[in-house]
Amino acid sequence: VQLQASGGGSVQAGGSLKLSCKASGMILSTFTGSRKAWYRQAPGKQRESVAELSSGGSTNYQDSVKGRFTISRDNSKRTVYLQMNSLEPDDTAVYYCNIKFASWDYWGQGTLVTVSS
């Protein structure tokens, strides 16, 4: 299984980006039964959770992104998304997708998001 993240880039404050994370080689039952999440790591800071999506469909967001970011998935495409609106300079970071199922813990390679003021 490999997670391939994409969609990062450079935007001005107030702009939007949509990140994608495709789980190649993952069977449908594992994908649908997994917990999916996006993390980010800003320069000089620890990696932090941004958004989580449980196998049952419930979501949880870091306070700083509530109302601006939305995590979703397309089971048929084995893909997790992070829609990011009203981006702020403090959102600048490398974003990583994560999928957990039982003892399996998969990470994507990271995609850089840069927000300029």
Side-chain angles (χ1 to χ4, degrees):
V1 173
Q2 287 189 327
L3 302 189
Q4 183 68 39
S6 61
S10 297
V11 296
Q12 290 190 326
S16 298
L17 285 173
K18 186 173 185 178
L19 306 183
S20 299
C21 176
K22 182 173 178 58
S24 299
M26 185 174 286
I27 63 174
L28 181 58
S29 59
T30 299
F31 187 82
T32 57
S34 66
R35 168 195 171 276
K36 305 158 187 68
W38 285 94
Y39 290 75
R40 68 185 180 188
Q41 187 166 18
K45 295 186 177 181
Q46 290 188 331
R47 189 174 298 188
E48 60 182 6
S49 175
V50 175
E52 301 174 358
L53 176 61
S54 74
S55 58
S58 60
T59 57
N60 189 39
Y61 296 94
Q62 182 191 106
D63 285 346
S64 68
V65 307
K66 284 181 180 177
R68 300 189 297 122
F69 290 11
T70 303
I71 187 171
S72 62
R73 86 287 199 190
D74 184 329
N75 292 333
S76 67
K77 296 181 179 179
R78 312 294 195 274
T79 301
V80 187
Y81 302 99
L82 185 68
Q83 177 67 48
M84 306 185 294
N85 299 326
S86 302
L87 282 161
E88 304 169 353
D90 283 348
D91 296 319
T92 295
V94 177
Y95 284 71
Y96 299 89
C97 56
N98 173 249
I99 294 180
K100 290 183 179 179
F101 182 84
S103 61
W104 298 324
D105 190 3
Y106 302 105
W107 289 89
Q109 85 284 11
T111 185
L112 177 63
V113 172
T114 304
V115 184
S116 59
S117 57

